[in-house]
Every structure is written in C-alpha cells, then in structure tokens.
PDB file of all heavy atoms in Angstrom:
ATOM      1  N   ALA A   1     -22.160 -10.665  -0.750  1.00 82.00           N
ATOM      2  CA  ALA A   1     -23.287  -9.930  -1.339  1.00 82.00           C
ATOM      3  C   ALA A   1     -23.167  -9.778  -2.848  1.00 82.00           C
ATOM      4  O   ALA A   1     -24.079  -9.270  -3.489  1.00 82.00           O
ATOM      5  CB  ALA A   1     -23.407  -8.555  -0.696  1.00 82.00           C
ATOM      6  N   GLY A   2     -22.037 -10.199  -3.439  1.00 81.00           N
ATOM      7  CA  GLY A   2     -21.882 -10.119  -4.885  1.00 81.00           C
ATOM      8  C   GLY A   2     -20.836  -9.141  -5.361  1.00 81.00           C
ATOM      9  O   GLY A   2     -20.613  -9.011  -6.569  1.00 81.00           O
ATOM     10  N   ASP A   3     -20.167  -8.438  -4.452  1.00 87.00           N
ATOM     11  CA  ASP A   3     -19.109  -7.519  -4.863  1.00 87.00           C
ATOM     12  C   ASP A   3     -17.851  -8.279  -5.259  1.00 87.00           C
ATOM     13  O   ASP A   3     -17.585  -9.367  -4.763  1.00 87.00           O
ATOM     14  CB  ASP A   3     -18.748  -6.566  -3.721  1.00 87.00           C
ATOM     15  CG  ASP A   3     -19.852  -5.598  -3.397  1.00 87.00           C
ATOM     16  OD1 ASP A   3     -20.727  -5.401  -4.253  1.00 87.00           O
ATOM     17  OD2 ASP A   3     -19.847  -5.044  -2.290  1.00 87.00           O
ATOM     18  N   ARG A   4     -17.077  -7.664  -6.143  1.00 90.00           N
ATOM     19  CA  ARG A   4     -15.722  -8.132  -6.394  1.00 90.00           C
ATOM     20  C   ARG A   4     -14.785  -7.242  -5.589  1.00 90.00           C
ATOM     21  O   ARG A   4     -14.783  -6.021  -5.760  1.00 90.00           O
ATOM     22  CB  ARG A   4     -15.388  -8.075  -7.887  1.00 90.00           C
ATOM     23  CG  ARG A   4     -16.235  -9.026  -8.711  1.00 90.00           C
ATOM     24  CD  ARG A   4     -15.773  -9.086 -10.147  1.00 90.00           C
ATOM     25  NE  ARG A   4     -15.961  -7.813 -10.830  1.00 90.00           N
ATOM     26  CZ  ARG A   4     -15.610  -7.602 -12.099  1.00 90.00           C
ATOM     27  NH1 ARG A   4     -15.049  -8.570 -12.785  1.00 90.00           N
ATOM     28  NH2 ARG A   4     -15.817  -6.431 -12.659  1.00 90.00           N
ATOM     29  N   VAL A   5     -14.002  -7.849  -4.718  1.00 93.00           N
ATOM     30  CA  VAL A   5     -13.200  -7.106  -3.746  1.00 93.00           C
ATOM     31  C   VAL A   5     -11.724  -7.381  -3.991  1.00 93.00           C
ATOM     32  O   VAL A   5     -11.323  -8.530  -4.195  1.00 93.00           O
ATOM     33  CB  VAL A   5     -13.581  -7.493  -2.306  1.00 93.00           C
ATOM     34  CG1 VAL A   5     -12.829  -6.630  -1.299  1.00 93.00           C
ATOM     35  CG2 VAL A   5     -15.091  -7.349  -2.087  1.00 93.00           C
ATOM     36  N   ALA A   6     -10.931  -6.319  -3.978  1.00 95.00           N
ATOM     37  CA  ALA A   6      -9.473  -6.430  -4.082  1.00 95.00           C
ATOM     38  C   ALA A   6      -8.846  -5.824  -2.836  1.00 95.00           C
ATOM     39  O   ALA A   6      -9.477  -5.038  -2.120  1.00 95.00           O
ATOM     40  CB  ALA A   6      -8.964  -5.732  -5.336  1.00 95.00           C
ATOM     41  N   LEU A   7      -7.584  -6.174  -2.581  1.00 95.00           N
ATOM     42  CA  LEU A   7      -6.878  -5.685  -1.396  1.00 95.00           C
ATOM     43  C   LEU A   7      -5.521  -5.137  -1.804  1.00 95.00           C
ATOM     44  O   LEU A   7      -4.737  -5.821  -2.474  1.00 95.00           O
ATOM     45  CB  LEU A   7      -6.707  -6.816  -0.381  1.00 95.00           C
ATOM     46  CG  LEU A   7      -5.936  -6.462   0.895  1.00 95.00           C
ATOM     47  CD1 LEU A   7      -6.701  -5.411   1.702  1.00 95.00           C
ATOM     48  CD2 LEU A   7      -5.694  -7.700   1.739  1.00 95.00           C
ATOM     49  N   VAL A   8      -5.238  -3.895  -1.386  1.00 96.00           N
ATOM     50  CA  VAL A   8      -3.955  -3.239  -1.612  1.00 96.00           C
ATOM     51  C   VAL A   8      -3.393  -2.839  -0.258  1.00 96.00           C
ATOM     52  O   VAL A   8      -4.105  -2.256   0.568  1.00 96.00           O
ATOM     53  CB  VAL A   8      -4.107  -1.999  -2.523  1.00 96.00           C
ATOM     54  CG1 VAL A   8      -2.823  -1.182  -2.561  1.00 96.00           C
ATOM     55  CG2 VAL A   8      -4.508  -2.425  -3.930  1.00 96.00           C
ATOM     56  N   ALA A   9      -2.137  -3.180  -0.006  1.00 95.00           N
ATOM     57  CA  ALA A   9      -1.443  -2.767   1.217  1.00 95.00           C
ATOM     58  C   ALA A   9      -0.304  -1.826   0.830  1.00 95.00           C
ATOM     59  O   ALA A   9       0.231  -1.905  -0.283  1.00 95.00           O
ATOM     60  CB  ALA A   9      -0.906  -3.984   1.966  1.00 95.00           C
ATOM     61  N   PHE A  10       0.075  -0.949   1.744  1.00 95.00           N
ATOM     62  CA  PHE A  10       1.144  -0.006   1.402  1.00 95.00           C
ATOM     63  C   PHE A  10       1.926   0.413   2.642  1.00 95.00           C
ATOM     64  O   PHE A  10       1.436   0.380   3.766  1.00 95.00           O
ATOM     65  CB  PHE A  10       0.568   1.225   0.702  1.00 95.00           C
ATOM     66  CG  PHE A  10      -0.247   2.140   1.585  1.00 95.00           C
ATOM     67  CD1 PHE A  10       0.311   3.278   2.151  1.00 95.00           C
ATOM     68  CD2 PHE A  10      -1.586   1.856   1.843  1.00 95.00           C
ATOM     69  CE1 PHE A  10      -0.448   4.116   2.955  1.00 95.00           C
ATOM     70  CE2 PHE A  10      -2.349   2.706   2.645  1.00 95.00           C
ATOM     71  CZ  PHE A  10      -1.782   3.828   3.206  1.00 95.00           C
ATOM     72  N   GLY A  11       3.175   0.772   2.387  1.00 93.00           N
ATOM     73  CA  GLY A  11       4.082   1.371   3.349  1.00 93.00           C
ATOM     74  C   GLY A  11       4.961   2.324   2.575  1.00 93.00           C
ATOM     75  O   GLY A  11       4.497   3.334   2.063  1.00 93.00           O
ATOM     76  N   ASP A  12       6.276   1.987   2.418  1.00 93.00           N
ATOM     77  CA  ASP A  12       7.127   2.755   1.509  1.00 93.00           C
ATOM     78  C   ASP A  12       6.656   2.621   0.071  1.00 93.00           C
ATOM     79  O   ASP A  12       6.815   3.538  -0.743  1.00 93.00           O
ATOM     80  CB  ASP A  12       8.575   2.243   1.584  1.00 93.00           C
ATOM     81  CG  ASP A  12       9.214   2.573   2.931  1.00 93.00           C
ATOM     82  OD1 ASP A  12       8.703   3.462   3.628  1.00 93.00           O
ATOM     83  OD2 ASP A  12      10.215   1.926   3.282  1.00 93.00           O
ATOM     84  N   THR A  13       6.104   1.463  -0.255  1.00 93.00           N
ATOM     85  CA  THR A  13       5.565   1.176  -1.580  1.00 93.00           C
ATOM     86  C   THR A  13       4.175   0.570  -1.422  1.00 93.00           C
ATOM     87  O   THR A  13       3.785   0.162  -0.323  1.00 93.00           O
ATOM     88  CB  THR A  13       6.469   0.190  -2.352  1.00 93.00           C
ATOM     89  OG1 THR A  13       6.587  -1.015  -1.594  1.00 93.00           O
ATOM     90  CG2 THR A  13       7.853   0.778  -2.579  1.00 93.00           C
ATOM     91  N   ALA A  14       3.469   0.477  -2.519  1.00 95.00           N
ATOM     92  CA  ALA A  14       2.130  -0.128  -2.519  1.00 95.00           C
ATOM     93  C   ALA A  14       2.143  -1.368  -3.408  1.00 95.00           C
ATOM     94  O   ALA A  14       2.809  -1.387  -4.448  1.00 95.00           O
ATOM     95  CB  ALA A  14       1.095   0.869  -3.025  1.00 95.00           C
ATOM     96  N   PHE A  15       1.421  -2.386  -3.004  1.00 93.00           N
ATOM     97  CA  PHE A  15       1.359  -3.605  -3.801  1.00 93.00           C
ATOM     98  C   PHE A  15      -0.001  -4.269  -3.593  1.00 93.00           C
ATOM     99  O   PHE A  15      -0.687  -4.046  -2.592  1.00 93.00           O
ATOM    100  CB  PHE A  15       2.491  -4.575  -3.445  1.00 93.00           C
ATOM    101  CG  PHE A  15       2.534  -4.975  -2.002  1.00 93.00           C
ATOM    102  CD1 PHE A  15       1.934  -6.146  -1.574  1.00 93.00           C
ATOM    103  CD2 PHE A  15       3.179  -4.180  -1.070  1.00 93.00           C
ATOM    104  CE1 PHE A  15       1.963  -6.512  -0.241  1.00 93.00           C
ATOM    105  CE2 PHE A  15       3.212  -4.544   0.268  1.00 93.00           C
ATOM    106  CZ  PHE A  15       2.607  -5.709   0.686  1.00 93.00           C
ATOM    107  N   THR A  16      -0.376  -5.107  -4.565  1.00 94.00           N
ATOM    108  CA  THR A  16      -1.672  -5.792  -4.542  1.00 94.00           C
ATOM    109  C   THR A  16      -1.529  -7.122  -3.816  1.00 94.00           C
ATOM    110  O   THR A  16      -0.752  -7.974  -4.237  1.00 94.00           O
ATOM    111  CB  THR A  16      -2.186  -6.035  -5.971  1.00 94.00           C
ATOM    112  OG1 THR A  16      -2.265  -4.784  -6.664  1.00 94.00           O
ATOM    113  CG2 THR A  16      -3.561  -6.680  -5.951  1.00 94.00           C
ATOM    114  N   LEU A  17      -2.281  -7.294  -2.755  1.00 94.00           N
ATOM    115  CA  LEU A  17      -2.302  -8.567  -2.039  1.00 94.00           C
ATOM    116  C   LEU A  17      -3.330  -9.524  -2.608  1.00 94.00           C
ATOM    117  O   LEU A  17      -3.175 -10.737  -2.527  1.00 94.00           O
ATOM    118  CB  LEU A  17      -2.599  -8.336  -0.554  1.00 94.00           C
ATOM    119  CG  LEU A  17      -1.414  -7.985   0.341  1.00 94.00           C
ATOM    120  CD1 LEU A  17      -1.904  -7.647   1.734  1.00 94.00           C
ATOM    121  CD2 LEU A  17      -0.406  -9.110   0.390  1.00 94.00           C
ATOM    122  N   CYS A  18      -4.422  -8.986  -3.168  1.00 93.00           N
ATOM    123  CA  CYS A  18      -5.463  -9.829  -3.753  1.00 93.00           C
ATOM    124  C   CYS A  18      -6.141  -9.052  -4.863  1.00 93.00           C
ATOM    125  O   CYS A  18      -6.563  -7.912  -4.646  1.00 93.00           O
ATOM    126  CB  CYS A  18      -6.481 -10.235  -2.683  1.00 93.00           C
ATOM    127  SG  CYS A  18      -7.811 -11.307  -3.288  1.00 93.00           S
ATOM    128  N   PRO A  19      -6.245  -9.599  -6.083  1.00 93.00           N
ATOM    129  CA  PRO A  19      -6.967  -8.913  -7.155  1.00 93.00           C
ATOM    130  C   PRO A  19      -8.472  -8.972  -6.905  1.00 93.00           C
ATOM    131  O   PRO A  19      -8.936  -9.601  -5.948  1.00 93.00           O
ATOM    132  CB  PRO A  19      -6.576  -9.720  -8.402  1.00 93.00           C
ATOM    133  CG  PRO A  19      -6.310 -11.092  -7.868  1.00 93.00           C
ATOM    134  CD  PRO A  19      -5.723 -10.908  -6.502  1.00 93.00           C
ATOM    135  N   LEU A  20      -9.238  -8.336  -7.762  1.00 92.00           N
ATOM    136  CA  LEU A  20     -10.693  -8.363  -7.622  1.00 92.00           C
ATOM    137  C   LEU A  20     -11.198  -9.798  -7.615  1.00 92.00           C
ATOM    138  O   LEU A  20     -10.926 -10.572  -8.535  1.00 92.00           O
ATOM    139  CB  LEU A  20     -11.350  -7.588  -8.755  1.00 92.00           C
ATOM    140  CG  LEU A  20     -11.256  -6.063  -8.678  1.00 92.00           C
ATOM    141  CD1 LEU A  20     -11.745  -5.434  -9.973  1.00 92.00           C
ATOM    142  CD2 LEU A  20     -12.030  -5.515  -7.499  1.00 92.00           C
ATOM    143  N   SER A  21     -11.938 -10.141  -6.582  1.00 91.00           N
ATOM    144  CA  SER A  21     -12.389 -11.524  -6.416  1.00 91.00           C
ATOM    145  C   SER A  21     -13.652 -11.542  -5.567  1.00 91.00           C
ATOM    146  O   SER A  21     -13.884 -10.653  -4.738  1.00 91.00           O
ATOM    147  CB  SER A  21     -11.292 -12.356  -5.740  1.00 91.00           C
ATOM    148  OG  SER A  21     -11.757 -13.653  -5.421  1.00 91.00           O
ATOM    149  N   THR A  22     -14.461 -12.573  -5.771  1.00 88.00           N
ATOM    150  CA  THR A  22     -15.624 -12.814  -4.922  1.00 88.00           C
ATOM    151  C   THR A  22     -15.364 -13.967  -3.951  1.00 88.00           C
ATOM    152  O   THR A  22     -16.284 -14.433  -3.296  1.00 88.00           O
ATOM    153  CB  THR A  22     -16.860 -13.145  -5.779  1.00 88.00           C
ATOM    154  OG1 THR A  22     -16.575 -14.282  -6.612  1.00 88.00           O
ATOM    155  CG2 THR A  22     -17.248 -11.970  -6.658  1.00 88.00           C
ATOM    156  N   ASP A  23     -14.124 -14.415  -3.871  1.00 89.00           N
ATOM    157  CA  ASP A  23     -13.745 -15.530  -3.005  1.00 89.00           C
ATOM    158  C   ASP A  23     -13.414 -14.988  -1.619  1.00 89.00           C
ATOM    159  O   ASP A  23     -12.341 -14.418  -1.399  1.00 89.00           O
ATOM    160  CB  ASP A  23     -12.548 -16.267  -3.607  1.00 89.00           C
ATOM    161  CG  ASP A  23     -12.218 -17.561  -2.867  1.00 89.00           C
ATOM    162  OD1 ASP A  23     -12.636 -17.697  -1.701  1.00 89.00           O
ATOM    163  OD2 ASP A  23     -11.540 -18.424  -3.448  1.00 89.00           O
ATOM    164  N   GLY A  24     -14.336 -15.158  -0.681  1.00 87.00           N
ATOM    165  CA  GLY A  24     -14.123 -14.648   0.666  1.00 87.00           C
ATOM    166  C   GLY A  24     -12.937 -15.290   1.360  1.00 87.00           C
ATOM    167  O   GLY A  24     -12.208 -14.634   2.109  1.00 87.00           O
ATOM    168  N   ALA A  25     -12.696 -16.584   1.114  1.00 88.00           N
ATOM    169  CA  ALA A  25     -11.568 -17.273   1.742  1.00 88.00           C
ATOM    170  C   ALA A  25     -10.237 -16.717   1.245  1.00 88.00           C
ATOM    171  O   ALA A  25      -9.278 -16.556   2.005  1.00 88.00           O
ATOM    172  CB  ALA A  25     -11.661 -18.776   1.468  1.00 88.00           C
ATOM    173  N   LEU A  26     -10.165 -16.399  -0.052  1.00 90.00           N
ATOM    174  CA  LEU A  26      -8.947 -15.823  -0.615  1.00 90.00           C
ATOM    175  C   LEU A  26      -8.664 -14.455  -0.017  1.00 90.00           C
ATOM    176  O   LEU A  26      -7.513 -14.128   0.328  1.00 90.00           O
ATOM    177  CB  LEU A  26      -9.086 -15.722  -2.136  1.00 90.00           C
ATOM    178  CG  LEU A  26      -7.890 -15.154  -2.905  1.00 90.00           C
ATOM    179  CD1 LEU A  26      -6.675 -16.053  -2.754  1.00 90.00           C
ATOM    180  CD2 LEU A  26      -8.236 -14.972  -4.378  1.00 90.00           C
ATOM    181  N   LEU A  27      -9.702 -13.638   0.144  1.00 91.00           N
ATOM    182  CA  LEU A  27      -9.537 -12.319   0.744  1.00 91.00           C
ATOM    183  C   LEU A  27      -9.094 -12.425   2.202  1.00 91.00           C
ATOM    184  O   LEU A  27      -8.217 -11.680   2.657  1.00 91.00           O
ATOM    185  CB  LEU A  27     -10.847 -11.544   0.647  1.00 91.00           C
ATOM    186  CG  LEU A  27     -11.242 -11.081  -0.753  1.00 91.00           C
ATOM    187  CD1 LEU A  27     -12.717 -10.710  -0.798  1.00 91.00           C
ATOM    188  CD2 LEU A  27     -10.392  -9.898  -1.177  1.00 91.00           C
ATOM    189  N   ALA A  28      -9.698 -13.375   2.942  1.00 90.00           N
ATOM    190  CA  ALA A  28      -9.328 -13.553   4.348  1.00 90.00           C
ATOM    191  C   ALA A  28      -7.871 -13.983   4.474  1.00 90.00           C
ATOM    192  O   ALA A  28      -7.145 -13.510   5.367  1.00 90.00           O
ATOM    193  CB  ALA A  28     -10.246 -14.583   4.997  1.00 90.00           C
ATOM    194  N   ALA A  29      -7.420 -14.874   3.593  1.00 91.00           N
ATOM    195  CA  ALA A  29      -6.028 -15.318   3.630  1.00 91.00           C
ATOM    196  C   ALA A  29      -5.081 -14.166   3.317  1.00 91.00           C
ATOM    197  O   ALA A  29      -3.999 -14.052   3.926  1.00 91.00           O
ATOM    198  CB  ALA A  29      -5.829 -16.464   2.643  1.00 91.00           C
ATOM    199  N   ALA A  30      -5.453 -13.300   2.380  1.00 92.00           N
ATOM    200  CA  ALA A  30      -4.610 -12.155   2.045  1.00 92.00           C
ATOM    201  C   ALA A  30      -4.532 -11.172   3.215  1.00 92.00           C
ATOM    202  O   ALA A  30      -3.448 -10.662   3.543  1.00 92.00           O
ATOM    203  CB  ALA A  30      -5.150 -11.463   0.793  1.00 92.00           C
ATOM    204  N   LEU A  31      -5.654 -10.909   3.853  1.00 91.00           N
ATOM    205  CA  LEU A  31      -5.661  -9.985   4.991  1.00 91.00           C
ATOM    206  C   LEU A  31      -4.869 -10.533   6.173  1.00 91.00           C
ATOM    207  O   LEU A  31      -4.257  -9.781   6.936  1.00 91.00           O
ATOM    208  CB  LEU A  31      -7.104  -9.694   5.414  1.00 91.00           C
ATOM    209  CG  LEU A  31      -7.825  -8.656   4.559  1.00 91.00           C
ATOM    210  CD1 LEU A  31      -9.328  -8.735   4.750  1.00 91.00           C
ATOM    211  CD2 LEU A  31      -7.320  -7.252   4.914  1.00 91.00           C
ATOM    212  N   ALA A  32      -4.871 -11.853   6.352  1.00 91.00           N
ATOM    213  CA  ALA A  32      -4.135 -12.450   7.468  1.00 91.00           C
ATOM    214  C   ALA A  32      -2.633 -12.226   7.337  1.00 91.00           C
ATOM    215  O   ALA A  32      -1.905 -12.313   8.332  1.00 91.00           O
ATOM    216  CB  ALA A  32      -4.446 -13.943   7.554  1.00 91.00           C
ATOM    217  N   ARG A  33      -2.161 -11.937   6.132  1.00 91.00           N
ATOM    218  CA  ARG A  33      -0.722 -11.735   5.917  1.00 91.00           C
ATOM    219  C   ARG A  33      -0.288 -10.290   6.160  1.00 91.00           C
ATOM    220  O   ARG A  33       0.905  -9.987   6.112  1.00 91.00           O
ATOM    221  CB  ARG A  33      -0.339 -12.138   4.491  1.00 91.00           C
ATOM    222  CG  ARG A  33      -0.540 -13.604   4.189  1.00 91.00           C
ATOM    223  CD  ARG A  33       0.222 -14.011   2.935  1.00 91.00           C
ATOM    224  NE  ARG A  33      -0.221 -13.270   1.767  1.00 91.00           N
ATOM    225  CZ  ARG A  33      -1.176 -13.678   0.945  1.00 91.00           C
ATOM    226  NH1 ARG A  33      -1.814 -14.814   1.184  1.00 91.00           N
ATOM    227  NH2 ARG A  33      -1.498 -12.960  -0.112  1.00 91.00           N
ATOM    228  N   VAL A  34      -1.240  -9.393   6.388  1.00 92.00           N
ATOM    229  CA  VAL A  34      -0.893  -7.982   6.577  1.00 92.00           C
ATOM    230  C   VAL A  34      -0.260  -7.778   7.955  1.00 92.00           C
ATOM    231  O   VAL A  34      -0.856  -8.111   8.982  1.00 92.00           O
ATOM    232  CB  VAL A  34      -2.137  -7.088   6.416  1.00 92.00           C
ATOM    233  CG1 VAL A  34      -1.795  -5.631   6.709  1.00 92.00           C
ATOM    234  CG2 VAL A  34      -2.706  -7.224   5.013  1.00 92.00           C
ATOM    235  N   GLU A  35       0.945  -7.229   7.968  1.00 91.00           N
ATOM    236  CA  GLU A  35       1.649  -6.910   9.206  1.00 91.00           C
ATOM    237  C   GLU A  35       2.207  -5.503   9.104  1.00 91.00           C
ATOM    238  O   GLU A  35       2.591  -5.049   8.014  1.00 91.00           O
ATOM    239  CB  GLU A  35       2.795  -7.895   9.466  1.00 91.00           C
ATOM    240  CG  GLU A  35       2.360  -9.336   9.674  1.00 91.00           C
ATOM    241  CD  GLU A  35       1.657  -9.557  11.015  1.00 91.00           C
ATOM    242  OE1 GLU A  35       1.751  -8.651  11.879  1.00 91.00           O
ATOM    243  OE2 GLU A  35       1.037 -10.610  11.192  1.00 91.00           O
TER     244      GLU A  35
END
C-alpha cells in the first residue's frame, strides 16, 4: 500500500531484522528467521 515497514525482534536484547523498506519479499524473509 506504500508504507515503509521495518522489523525489530527482541528477547534479552533488541535488534533490527529489517530496516524501513517497501520490499515485501525482504520483510517476509526477515520474518521467516524469527524463532
């Protein structure tokens, strides 16, 4: 839809899995790594 989306995951610490991006494939790949 035109948003720039970033992904942050956290546990004991927090880190950026994906910076702000409009690339849906990049976001999907980053989310697939979340365990």
Side-chain angles (χ1 to χ4, degrees):
D3 292 340
R4 295 187 295 179
V5 185
L7 178 64
V8 170
F10 70 98
D12 291 341
T13 58
F15 57 96
T16 303
L17 276 174
C18 181
L20 286 171
S21 173
T22 57
D23 188 340
L26 181 64
L27 289 163
L31 280 162
R33 296 197 300 268
V34 176
E35 297 288 346

